[in-house]
Amino acid sequence: MAQVLQLTFANALNNTMTLNIAEPKANLSETEINAAMQIIVDQDIFAKDGAIFNLKKSARVVERHVTSFEINV
């Protein structure tokens, strides 16, 4: 099952951006996720229209299960 860690940030203009990280380490703790997000915020890495994404908004792990079917063509 594929997993994606989604980290969402906001800026002063109330814009949001989501950073998707494929196959995150198993059993990440809230402390680890918060620390990683804080590093991103502190480094002023992402901006849009001159407004830096400097607010942690949310974090979640999304699991995706795909079932493929063979189709006769």
Side-chain angles (χ1 to χ4, degrees), residues 16-29:
T16 60
M17 64 145 270
T18 301
L19 180 61
N20 293 300
I21 303 168
E23 300 302 325
K25 179 176 84 171
N27 301 318
L28 282 172
S29 69

Side-chain angles (χ1 to χ4, degrees), residues 2-9 18-25 28-30 32-34 36-37 40 58-63:
Q3 289 188 337
V4 175
L5 173 61
Q6 294 182 334
L7 306 177
T8 302
F9 300 88
T18 301
L19 180 61
N20 293 300
I21 303 168
E23 300 302 325
K25 179 176 84 171
L28 282 172
S29 69
E30 286 184 25
E32 291 171 311
I33 292 169
N34 270 300
M37 291 181 80
I40 292 168
S58 66
R60 65 186 184 175
V61 173
V62 177
E63 292 186 30

Side-chain angles (χ1 to χ4, degrees), residues 7 11 26 32 42 49 51:
L7 306 177
N11 64 19
E32 291 171 311
D42 291 345
D49 299 328

Side-chain angles (χ1 to χ4, degrees), residues 9 34-46 52-56:
F9 300 88
N34 270 300
M37 291 181 80
Q38 191 62 50
I39 290 169
I40 292 168
V41 165
D42 291 345
Q43 297 296 314
D44 298 334
I45 295 173
F46 301 106
I52 297 168
F53 289 98
N54 58 357
L55 302 167
K56 297 183 286 183

